[in-house]
Amino acid sequence: MSNYTPGFEAADAMENLTLFMTAAVIAGGGLYWFMCILGSAEQKGKRAADLSGGSISAEKVGDKYKQYWSFFLRPKEIDKPSQVPAFVDTFYNLVTDIYEWGWGQSFHFSPSIPGKSHAAATRLHEEFAVDLLRVGPGDRILDVGCGVGGPMRAIAARSGSNVVGITINEYQVGRARTHNKKAGLDSLCEVVRGDFLQMPFDDESFDGAYSIEATCHAPKLEDVYGEVYRVLKPGAMYVSYEWVTTGEYRSDDPEHVEIVQGIERGDALPGLRSFDEVAEIARKVGFEVVEEKDLARPPSGPWWARLKMGRIAYWRNHVVVSVLAKLGVAPEGVVEVHDMLYKTAGHLTRGGETGIFTPMYMILCRKPVKADD
């Protein structure tokens, strides 16, 4: 006599179907969370489902990425200052959304501080800059290379000053204005599109200025420092956090050269400068140098720790970006851009670990007061 029981087989099939459907719901829910809910490292940032190529149309992102990379295949182009603004603009169209999604609204590093989150350490780093300027309510200060305005909002909230930011990238202008309004700081924060090598501001129209890891994009530092000098009032202060090689860098060491070139290629830099050039250039354009210091040195904790901790997040994000590209939600080319940024993070980490590179060489300058004032 057969032991076959049709009811049991149907029950097994139903149980398997239920398990499959449950797994599908969990997987779908997880994908939805990554794509539509998971935002950037800061509140009100980008969602994965909103990744774009900035001002570049979706169908041209891949071509623009190839164009960006070809800049380094033609070294002579890097020596042409006229080519650099468009090159940097393309870079920030490609990376701005990914930066916001994976990093936050402040596109810079900060020293690691025991007991402080990355967001808290970032804000302290920004507030330190404005404290050096000695400005307050009613003063007008300039953010040189403001990005999407993370530092601008922290500095406006801290000082009560009116902050004017300038960025070469039109897409970042729109993002910064959106964030300023959401933060309730649009009355203190203004954003304009422009080249910080030729700024659309009157002479002696600012009470202070700062740049946080932005002037590294200038082909010649004296050009941007000269512009900052021009727009500052006599007696006003300027503080900048510079990306530079340190005294540990050796140009005859192949590993050092590889690290530096990796940083340059992955961050749209015409060429890294040495730390000992910065003060000399500031004096050349007329500034008095008040102080210079590498803020990455002890007792500050390693700024690159955040990059190392983010490697697991990278693989998670890379899967999400790849899925979005396959589905046509994210533009073609965004996977390659994300991969480039991950590789660059490796070069930055090695730069920090070897001590040959710092992203926060601080220089504090003053525009001299005229003798007849």
Side-chain angles (χ1 to χ4, degrees):
M1 180 177 179
S2 172
N3 291 323
Y4 173 70
T5 308
F8 286 168
E9 184 178 83
D12 288 342
M14 183 61 70
E15 182 178 356
N16 290 337
L17 179 60
T18 301
L19 290 172
F20 174 78
M21 292 180 66
T22 300
V25 169
I26 292 173
L31 183 60
Y32 174 81
W33 183 77
F34 276 125
M35 290 172 56
C36 301
I37 299 176
L38 180 65
S40 72
E42 294 184 16
Q43 277 189 314
K44 304 177 183 176
K46 273 284 177 178
R47 301 177 306 164
D50 297 326
L51 296 180
S52 73
S55 300
I56 301 171
S57 59
E59 66 273 11
K60 294 183 179 179
V61 170
D63 289 340
K64 283 293 184 180
Y65 171 73
K66 293 176 183 176
Q67 181 182 335
Y68 166 81
W69 202 247
S70 70
F71 190 85
F72 293 101
L73 301 179
R74 303 189 303 274
K76 290 183 179 179
E77 295 296 309
I78 300 175
D79 295 329
K80 298 178 182 178
S82 61
Q83 301 289 332
V84 174
F87 159 67
V88 174
D89 184 35
T90 295
F91 173 76
Y92 278 111
N93 273 320
L94 294 171
V95 306
T96 290
D97 279 355
I98 295 177
Y99 275 2
E100 272 203 64
W101 176 50
W103 191 262
Q105 296 168 21
S106 294
F107 296 175
H108 63 81
F109 294 101
S110 62
S112 177
I113 304 174
K116 297 288 186 182
S117 66
H118 294 309
T122 295
R123 190 173 183 99
L124 287 171
H125 194 50
E126 294 164 349
E127 290 176 347
F128 176 67
V130 73
D131 288 347
L132 292 171
L133 298 182
R134 304 173 189 171
V135 292
D139 287 327
R140 185 171 185 249
I141 58 178
L142 175 65
D143 183 329
V144 183
C146 65
V148 299
M152 169 189 296
R153 289 181 286 280
I155 284 170
R158 171 78 168 184
S159 66
S161 300
N162 295 288
V163 185
V164 180
I166 184 170
T167 173
I168 193 72
N169 185 258
E170 183 65 40
Y171 182 67
Q172 289 187 338
V173 171
R175 293 296 296 162
R177 288 174 178 169
T178 297
H179 289 311
N180 291 344
K181 188 173 183 179
K182 286 181 179 179
L185 291 167
D186 48 325
S187 63
L188 290 178
C189 298
E190 177 187 352
V191 190
V192 300
R193 184 187 183 189
D195 183 352
F196 59 33
L197 302 176
Q198 295 177 311
M199 292 192 282
F201 306 123
D202 292 337
D203 294 355
E204 301 182 1
S205 56
F206 288 94
D207 300 292
Y210 65 90
S211 50
I212 299 181
E213 302 182 28
T215 57
C216 51
H217 294 300
K220 294 181 179 179
L221 192 59
E222 52 263 48
D223 290 345
V224 62
Y225 276 17
E227 274 294 272
V228 174
Y229 184 90
R230 177 183 67 80
V231 302
L232 283 180
K233 297 176 182 178
M237 309 291 284
Y238 169 53
V239 62
S240 185
Y241 297 164
E242 295 289 343
W243 279 32
V244 294
T245 56
T246 71
E248 302 298 317
Y249 175 72
R250 298 289 178 268
S251 59
D252 58 352
D253 186 320
E255 181 188 8
H256 288 189
V257 173
E258 178 190 357
I259 291 170
V260 166
Q261 289 183 347
I263 293 171
E264 292 170 345
R265 291 172 179 171
D267 286 293
L269 308 183
L272 275 172
R273 285 170 276 272
S274 173
F275 77 101
D276 54 7
E277 297 177 49
V278 179
E280 179 183 349
I281 291 170
R283 293 188 181 99
K284 179 181 177 181
V285 303
F287 279 118
E288 298 172 353
V289 176
V290 178
E291 183 182 1
E292 53 181 322
K293 180 181 180 181
D294 185 358
L295 300 179
R297 294 182 64 83
S300 297
W303 54 269
W304 62 91
R306 186 176 179 186
L307 292 170
K308 297 185 73 172
M309 292 172 63
R311 289 184 180 181
I312 294 176
Y314 161 77
W315 288 111
R316 176 201 68 195
N317 292 351
H318 198 64
V319 169
V320 174
V321 169
S322 299
V323 170
L324 292 173
K326 288 289 186 182
L327 295 176
V329 176
E332 290 185 18
V334 73
V335 177
E336 288 80 3
V337 174
H338 190 265
D339 190 56
M340 176 190 73
L341 295 179
Y342 175 69
K343 291 176 181 176
T344 305
H347 291 299
L348 288 164
T349 299
R350 290 169 63 196
E353 290 175 336
T354 58
I356 68 170
F357 166 78
T358 176
M360 53 189 79
Y361 190 80
M362 185 275 290
I363 183 165
L364 177 64
C365 306
R366 180 190 294 112
K367 182 172 180 176
V369 177
K370 298 174 183 176
D372 55 352
D373 285 351

